[in-house]
């Protein structure tokens, strides 16, 4: 029988709640929905592999070479993930003239789509258009330069088009962006119609003549002008706030992804080609988004499901000089940016137990307490969230009164096999019995050396208000 050896004592402040997640607040976009087609293009492209079809689709994309306008000091490419900047344009040129007259062109929507290495998951990160930021100098197509300035983030698009927005987002996040996709009103409608409409859910009957929107209450499918009116309407749904509107529009994007990745859609070559043809006719992109890049992307994304796609908003706080503007809440935003920058490891298979070693139980049979003894706020909660997503029963999240140097995995009587499972999930830290532990329980005590889960870089943390593409569309957002 193995003799229980008491490790160095660790003192816990069990009554202390884990640090709260920073709230997501502030003004968000007016017209978020139509950029969802860019995401849909990425997620369903893997179902079409014939080279001739690819060539036809490739020829329909309107491309622009922006490489010479991105500056010399760009963030380094740290991993094999893919970052695509998606922008919704409110241009009134051409087919968009029916939606009114507006001088110039603006980006009312800016989303950074991050696809993890190997196409394991995707996250769309929204940047509030009213965010006050420092913008770098930008070159225009005509060769003139717009000087660096401080202002609303969507001014970057007006100053220098997609290249200026691209450069601004890179300077703010230090994330290397690979490509951009731009969509306008008419393009949005074409793609929604090619999907056969998108399902939405509204709490009551809607009649908004200004947005040309007339909807019955409940679950329904919208197309064309009805879909565009739904994502554009401002005051007839919810409380009229930007926060309420962004949740509704992100829910619309989630429905687009869910429809585009539906098995019936992906197994019908005709429907798939019609959809992709409509999409490629509706977008503008950088010249680097070539046929070979699209084929490589399609191969890596073929198995992604809607449940692996989520939408979040960069955390913001009130801008002190103007109550109608916001600024990034850096303490909450930087962990999100860092996780995207360093998402550099593919999930790896768990090693089999060696002969004569303890056989681990499944994660669902592990009752686990996670404690932060590193002196870094929020680490226990973030690690607990990751372990919960992997199926562990996290029953307690706490903070130690004093920091400890090394991460420990401790277990009570009868929990040796459960501790073995935790040791697999958090490699580099052997488990050991603890006489004072509660029988049947395991304790992960995170020291100053941290705790990295197997096969993952810093996981993109859960964000308040995030929406997954496989959600129930009638559930509250």
């Amino acid at each position: 029988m193995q003799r229980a050896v008491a490790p160095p004592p660790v003192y816990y402040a069990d009554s202390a709640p884990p640090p709260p997640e920073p709230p997501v607040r502030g003004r968000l976009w007016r017209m978020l929905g139509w950029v969802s087609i860019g995401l849909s293009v990425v997620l369903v492209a893997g179902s079409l592999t014939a080279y001739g079809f690819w060539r036809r689709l490739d020829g329909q994309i309107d491309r622009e070479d922006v490489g010479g306008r991105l500056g010399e000091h760009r963030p380094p490419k740290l991993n094999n993930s893919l970052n695509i900047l998606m922008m919704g344009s409110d241009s009134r040129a051409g087919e968009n003239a029916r939606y009114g007259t507006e001088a110039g062109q603006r980006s009312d929507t800016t989303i950074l789509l991050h696809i993890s290495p190997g196409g394991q998951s995707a996250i769309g990160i929204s940047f509030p258009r009213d965010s006050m930021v420092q913008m770098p100098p930008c070159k225009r197509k005509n060769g003139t330069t717009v000087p660096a300035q401080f202002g609303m983030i969507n001014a970057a698009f007006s100053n220098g088009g997609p290249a200026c927005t691209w450069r601004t987002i890179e300077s703010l996040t230090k994330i290397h962006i690979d490509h951009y996709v731009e969509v306008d009103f008419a393009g949005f409608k074409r793609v929604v119609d090619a999907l056969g409409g998108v399902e939405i859910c509204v709490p009551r009957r809607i009649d908004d003549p200004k947005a040309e929107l007339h909807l019955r209450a409940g679950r329904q499918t919208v197309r064309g002008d009805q879909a565009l009116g739904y994502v554009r309407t401002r005051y007839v749904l919810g409380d009229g706030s930007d926060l309420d509107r962004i949740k509704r529009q992100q829910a619309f994007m989630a429905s687009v992804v869910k429809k585009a990745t539906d098995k019936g859609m992906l197994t019908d070559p005709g429907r798939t080609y019609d959809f992709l043809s409509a999409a490629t006719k509706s977008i503008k992109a950088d010249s680097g988004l070539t046929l070979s890049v699209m084929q490589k992307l399609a191969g890596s994304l073929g198995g992604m499901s809607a449940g692996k796609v989520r939408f979040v908003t960069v955390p913001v706080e009130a801008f002190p000089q103007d109550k109608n503007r916001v600024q990034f809440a850096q303490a909450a935003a930087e962990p999100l940016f860092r996780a995207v920058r360093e998402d550099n490891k593919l999930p790896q298979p768990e090693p089999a137990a060696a002969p004569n070693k303890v056989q681990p139980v499944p994660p669902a049979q592990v009752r686990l307490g996670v404690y932060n003894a590193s002196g870094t706020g929020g680490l226990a909660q973030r690690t607990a969230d990751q372990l919960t997503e992997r199926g562990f029963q996290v029953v307690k999240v706490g903070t130690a009164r004093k920091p400890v140097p090394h991460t420990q995995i401790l277990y009570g009587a009868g929990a040796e096999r459960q501790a073995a499972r935790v040791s697999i999930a958090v490699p580099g830290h052997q488990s050991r019995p603890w006489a004072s532990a509660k029988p049947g329980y395991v304790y992960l005590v995170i020291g100053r050396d941290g705790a990295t889960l197997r096969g993952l870089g810093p996981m993109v943390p859960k964000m308040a208000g995030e929406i997954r593409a496989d959600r129930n569309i009638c559930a509250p957002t």
Side-chain angles (χ1 to χ4, degrees):
M1 179 181 296
Q2 187 176 16
R3 182 172 174 266
V5 178
V10 179
Y11 302 96
Y12 306 110
D14 285 352
S15 60
E21 292 291 330
V24 177
R25 300 175 293 168
R27 293 169 54 84
L28 303 169
W29 294 268
R30 289 180 292 155
M31 294 171 277
L32 186 62
W34 61 88
V35 165
S36 58
I37 72 165
L39 179 59
S40 303
V41 172
V42 171
L43 294 178
V44 303
S47 62
L48 201 65
T49 57
Y51 184 76
F53 285 168
W54 273 109
R55 292 291 298 176
R56 246 176 284 170
L57 294 172
D58 180 63
Q60 296 176 165
I61 299 177
D62 182 7
R63 291 188 172 90
E64 178 184 353
D65 184 1
V66 298
R69 287 182 274 144
L70 298 178
E72 298 179 357
H73 304 291
R74 298 181 58 200
K77 180 74 173 175
L78 299 178
N79 50 46
N80 292 323
S81 63
L82 191 65
N83 298 311
I84 301 176
L85 183 63
M86 302 191 300
M87 291 165 280
S89 165
D90 69 351
S91 169
R92 300 309 202 274
E95 297 176 75
N96 301 301
R98 60 165 297 190
Y99 300 107
T101 302
E102 293 283 351
Q105 183 173 327
R106 285 151 299 280
S107 172
D108 276 329
T109 303
T110 305
I111 296 176
L112 182 61
L113 172 64
H114 170 71
I115 303 170
S116 292
Q120 298 295 321
S121 62
I123 182 169
I125 304 171
S126 299
F127 292 79
R129 66 185 300 272
D130 293 334
S131 300
M132 301 299 290
V133 301
Q134 182 64 45
M135 290 170 276
C138 291
K139 289 184 179 179
R140 296 192 178 103
K141 284 184 180 180
N142 62 10
T144 61
T145 298
V146 179
Q149 60 186 260
F150 183 81
M152 287 174 53
I153 195 170
N154 71 332
F157 195 90
S158 301
N159 290 340
C164 191
T165 301
W166 183 330
R167 190 173 184 196
T168 297
I169 297 299
E170 282 194 340
S171 70
L172 294 171
T173 65
K174 303 300 185 290
I175 296 170
H176 183 95
I177 296 173
D178 301 288
H179 304 288
Y180 89 84
V181 172
E182 178 189 336
V183 188
D184 61 16
F185 293 156
F188 167 75
K189 293 198 304 179
R190 275 197 297 271
V191 175
V192 170
D193 288 348
L195 278 172
V198 173
E199 198 172 42
I200 64 171
C201 188
V202 294
R204 56 181 174 79
R205 179 177 177 83
I206 301 298
D207 288 292
D208 183 359
K210 186 175 181 180
E212 301 181 15
L213 182 64
H214 304 280
L215 301 172
R216 56 181 172 79
R219 188 186 296 259
Q220 59 203 285
T221 299
V222 292
R223 298 174 173 83
D225 287 325
Q226 287 288 82
L228 184 60
Y230 176 76
V231 299
R232 293 184 69 201
T233 189
R234 295 193 60 182
Y235 302 112
V236 299
L237 284 171
D239 58 12
S241 70
D242 287 321
L243 180 59
D244 187 83
R245 184 166 54 250
I246 195 69
K247 288 182 178 179
R248 169 169 48 86
Q249 293 169 334
Q250 287 183 328
F252 185 90
M253 289 195 294
S255 290
V256 170
V257 173
K258 190 174 183 179
K259 182 69 174 285
T261 57
D262 178 72
K263 289 183 179 179
M265 173 82 179
L266 296 177
T267 55
D268 186 331
R271 288 180 63 196
T272 302
Y273 180 78
D274 289 344
F275 167 70
L276 291 177
S277 181
T280 52
K281 289 176 182 176
S282 304
I283 65 174
K284 295 181 180 180
D286 63 286
S287 58
L289 190 61
T290 62
L291 174 62
S292 61
V293 172
M294 290 191 297
Q295 288 177 307
K296 181 179 179 181
L297 177 60
S300 68
L301 291 175
M304 188 182 294
S305 64
K308 297 295 184 180
V309 183
R310 56 191 174 123
F311 300 93
V312 303
T313 303
V314 173
V316 294
E317 60 192 12
F319 180 60
Q321 286 74 33
D322 187 344
K323 65 179 181 180
N324 294 318
R325 302 287 180 261
V326 296
Q327 62 187 12
F328 291 176
Q330 288 296 339
E334 178 52 30
L336 172 64
F337 300 153
R338 183 174 64 250
V340 170
R341 288 195 298 265
E342 300 176 8
D343 184 11
N344 57 3
K345 295 181 181 178
L346 290 171
Q348 301 168 359
E350 293 181 349
N356 302 321
K357 294 280 186 170
V358 174
Q359 295 293 322
V361 300
Q365 297 180 22
V366 181
R367 289 175 291 183
L368 178 65
V370 182
Y371 293 88
N372 180 16
S374 69
T376 302
L379 182 58
Q381 186 63 60
R382 292 195 295 271
T383 303
D385 288 342
Q386 296 178 38
L387 290 166
T388 298
E389 287 200 348
R390 295 191 174 198
F392 288 87
Q393 296 185 57
V394 177
V395 296
K396 177 66 179 179
V397 179
T399 302
R401 291 191 179 97
K402 295 181 180 180
V404 298
H406 303 296
T407 297
Q408 306 171 43
I409 299 174
L410 313 174
Y411 61 91
E416 187 176 9
R417 296 177 64 199
Q418 287 83 349
R421 172 57 61 183
V422 177
S423 294
I424 291 174
V426 188
H429 310 284
Q430 290 187 344
S431 61
R432 53 183 177 176
W434 183 24
S436 300
K438 186 175 181 179
Y441 284 74
V442 182
Y443 302 84
L444 173 62
V445 184
I446 305 174
R448 291 194 183 100
D449 54 348
T452 301
L453 271 64
R454 174 174 296 280
L456 292 178
M459 182 180 181
V460 177
K462 284 189 175 182
M463 305 290 290
E466 72 173 42
I467 293 177
R468 287 195 349 175
D470 63 348
R471 65 184 294 272
N472 178 357
I473 64 169
C474 289
T477 55

